């Protein structure tokens, strides 16, 4: 009798395990879908590469290469969008950055940029920079590890995302996600890629957002759509949302577009209660690019909002492409670097 009972327990378990080996992708269903228009706060910007945007009580701070001023960090008045100051020129000298490869964050009125190429950390207080200029920038040595693509901080920890190689097996011993304390001691690690094709995972690019209270972390890729939600500092998985698969060629180690390729996401931002994603998975890239510029569809013009359990809450269809986004502390407004169909860039605000 015990043997029969054990058999009946094992069979369902084996069936469940088989089901878990395959991934079923399904688009989230939002109970609310509405439209909204951005309010442009600036004239057209001379931005090339756009990397990030943050908002404080009084300022909007962006990290983007400006072809006119040749600076990367720009500070604007939050209410009216007036440019108040700029810093971080390209170069190898003190207070300069070599390339837009690193992580940028604004917390408690201070700006911090970890220049991975230079392996230096550049910091300044916003009010001090506006009063005294770039002489207030403090530069210290970094501890960059090869393959590190993101490093964000909380009050107690540093959170890093690594992609060590796109062609070879990881022999460095560094896991994909690590949490370290301020002394550099590893607190937790997680080497999970939710998607199965490791080569395609290495080729993809990922956006990471840490909740302001430092207790949660969200990750989303550009070229597929899997929402990863974790607790911090444990890196315990709260939720994996499988929305769209890897419809691209990665045989060369880089992304090569196919007829099915879309830009699923262009940025992610999180508050203590919600996760915000810019979404563009409904526009086929090659087909769209073949059209005259004025006829092309907007890409990533939708804002998808989830709670920290992965529950879809709301989709907002906007009138601009959302390149980079953030949300104010009260969750009343989205601030974003946006683009129109002609790829002209602006800073804009959208009420929630």
């Amino acid at each position: 009798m015990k043997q029969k009972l054990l058999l009946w327990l094992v069979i369902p378990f084996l069936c469940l395990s088989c089901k878990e080996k395959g991934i079923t992708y399904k688009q989230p269903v939002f109970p609310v879908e509405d439209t909204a228009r951005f309010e442009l706060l600036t004239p057209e910007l001379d931005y090339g590469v756009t990397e990030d945007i943050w908002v404080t009580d009084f300022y909007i701070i962006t990290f983007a290469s400006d072809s006119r001023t040749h600076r990367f960090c720009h500070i604007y008045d939050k209410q009216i969008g007036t440019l108040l100051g700029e810093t971080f020129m390209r170069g190898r000298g003190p207070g300069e950055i070599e390339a837009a490869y690193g992580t940028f964050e604004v917390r408690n009125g201070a700006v911090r940029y970890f220049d991975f190429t230079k392996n230096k950390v550049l910091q300044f207080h916003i009010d001090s920079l506006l009063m005294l200029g770039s002489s207030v920038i403090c530069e210290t040595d970094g501890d960059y590890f090869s393959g590190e693509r993101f490093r964000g901080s909380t009050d107690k920890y540093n959170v890093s995302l690594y992609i060590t190689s796109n062609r070879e097996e990881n022999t460095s011993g560094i896991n994909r996600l690590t949490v370290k304390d301020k002394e550099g001691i590893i607190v937790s690690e997680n080497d999970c890629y939710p998607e199965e094709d490791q080569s395609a995972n290495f080729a993809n690019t990922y956006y990471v957002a840490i909740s302001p209270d430092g207790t949660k972390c969200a990750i989303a890729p550009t070229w597929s759509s899997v929402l990863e939600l974790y607790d911090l500092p444990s890196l315990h998985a709260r939720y994996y949302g499988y929305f769209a698969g890897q419809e691209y060629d990665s045989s060369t180690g880089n992304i090569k577009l196919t007829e099915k390729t879309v830009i699923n996401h262009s940025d992610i931002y999180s508050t203590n209660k919600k996760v915000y994603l810019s979404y563009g998975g409904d526009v086929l890239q090659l087909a769209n690019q073949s059209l005259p510029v004025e006829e092309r569809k907007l890409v990533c013009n939708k804002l998808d909002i989830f709670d920290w359990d992965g529950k879809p809450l709301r989709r907002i269809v906007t009138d601009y492409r959302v390149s980079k986004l953030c949300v104010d502390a009260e969750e009343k407004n989205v601030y974003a670097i946006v683009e129109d169909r002609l790829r002209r860039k602006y800073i804009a605000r959208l009420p929630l």
Side-chain angles (χ1 to χ4, degrees), residues 53-340:
I53 183 170
W54 290 76
V55 64
T56 70
D57 289 342
F58 304 105
Y59 307 114
I60 302 167
I61 306 96
T62 64
F63 188 82
S65 61
D66 190 297
S67 60
R68 182 178 58 85
T69 66
H70 306 291
R71 287 176 168 82
F72 284 90
C73 181
H74 320 278
I75 304 168
Y76 301 85
D77 181 280
K78 178 182 176 180
Q79 298 303 320
I80 59 176
T82 303
L83 180 64
L84 301 176
E86 295 180 298
T87 191
F88 291 167
M89 291 195 69
R90 184 186 299 275
R92 298 175 181 268
E96 298 176 336
I97 65 174
E98 290 191 17
Y101 177 50
T103 55
F104 182 76
E105 61 183 10
V106 181
R107 297 188 187 280
N108 302 318
V111 170
R112 182 179 185 272
Y113 180 69
F114 190 172
D115 187 338
F116 290 166
T117 304
K118 193 177 179 181
N119 200 10
K120 298 286 186 179
V121 178
L122 286 68
Q123 302 180 80
F124 64 85
H125 195 278
I126 298 171
D127 289 333
S128 297
L129 182 117
L130 294 179
M131 291 177 59
L132 302 173
S134 295
S135 63
V136 302
I137 296 175
C138 174
E139 183 174 307
T140 56
D141 291 335
D143 57 349
Y144 172 74
F145 287 89
S146 178
E148 191 170 11
R149 303 298 176 89
F150 168 87
R151 183 184 299 189
S153 64
T154 71
D155 290 339
K156 297 181 179 180
Y157 306 104
N158 290 322
V159 182
S160 294
L161 168 71
Y162 296 88
I163 301 179
T164 55
S165 172
N166 61 358
R167 307 297 281 173
E168 301 176 358
E169 184 179 351
N170 178 12
T171 59
S172 66
I174 299 176
N175 288 312
R176 181 190 179 219
L177 295 170
T178 68
V179 176
K180 298 179 181 180
D181 64 21
K182 296 303 182 179
E183 302 301 319
I185 305 300
I186 293 177
V187 175
S188 60
E189 298 177 286
N190 185 318
D191 207 29
C192 175
Y193 281 87
E195 294 179 277
E196 296 173 332
D197 188 336
Q198 196 75 334
S199 176
N201 292 334
F202 287 143
N204 215 335
T205 53
Y206 295 85
Y207 305 102
V208 184
I210 299 172
S211 63
D213 62 11
T215 65
K216 298 176 288 293
C217 174
I219 303 173
T222 299
W223 300 101
S224 55
S225 185
V226 175
L227 178 60
E228 304 173 53
L229 304 180
Y230 298 94
D231 286 321
L232 294 178
S234 67
L235 287 176
H236 174 267
R238 300 174 61 95
Y239 171 80
Y240 292 147
Y242 295 95
F243 304 146
Q246 298 164 321
E247 300 289 356
Y248 51 87
D249 180 13
S250 58
S251 59
T252 64
N254 296 305
I255 296 293
K256 181 179 179 182
L257 303 188
T258 70
E259 292 181 354
K260 295 182 179 180
T261 303
V262 299
I263 300 177
N264 274 287
H265 307 120
S266 64
D267 203 12
I268 189 171
Y269 188 84
S270 68
T271 66
N272 292 333
K273 295 181 179 180
K274 299 173 184 176
V275 177
Y276 296 77
L277 275 167
S278 58
Y279 173 74
D282 53 349
V283 179
L284 298 173
Q285 278 301 289
L286 288 180
N288 199 46
Q289 291 174 1
S290 68
L291 298 173
V293 174
E294 62 276 7
E295 296 180 16
R296 293 178 186 174
K297 296 180 180 179
L298 283 170
V299 179
C300 292
N301 67 316
K302 298 173 180 63
L303 291 173
D304 289 352
I305 306 174
F306 300 82
D307 68 15
W308 277 102
D309 292 321
K311 179 182 177 181
L313 300 177
R314 181 185 178 192
R315 169 172 285 177
I316 307 172
V317 182
T318 78
D319 54 341
Y320 282 86
R321 174 176 180 160
V322 182
S323 294
K324 300 297 169 186
L325 71 109
C326 63
V327 180
D328 58 22
E330 300 79 18
E331 294 196 55
K332 291 184 177 180
N333 295 283
V334 173
Y335 291 83
I337 302 173
V338 301
E339 300 179 18
D340 62 16

Side-chain angles (χ1 to χ4, degrees), residues 14-68:
L14 291 175
C15 293
L16 179 62
S17 298
C18 292
K19 288 181 180 179
E20 289 179 343
K21 288 182 179 178
I23 296 174
T24 300
Y25 294 96
K26 184 178 181 180
Q27 285 293 320
V29 177
F30 293 90
V32 177
E33 181 171 331
D34 49 15
T35 61
R37 299 178 64 86
F38 273 104
E39 172 194 2
L40 299 183
L41 297 177
T42 67
E44 181 182 352
L45 301 171
D46 295 306
Y47 285 178
V49 177
T50 57
E51 293 290 335
D52 214 342
I53 183 170
W54 290 76
V55 64
T56 70
D57 289 342
F58 304 105
Y59 307 114
I60 302 167
I61 306 96
T62 64
F63 188 82
S65 61
D66 190 297
S67 60
R68 182 178 58 85

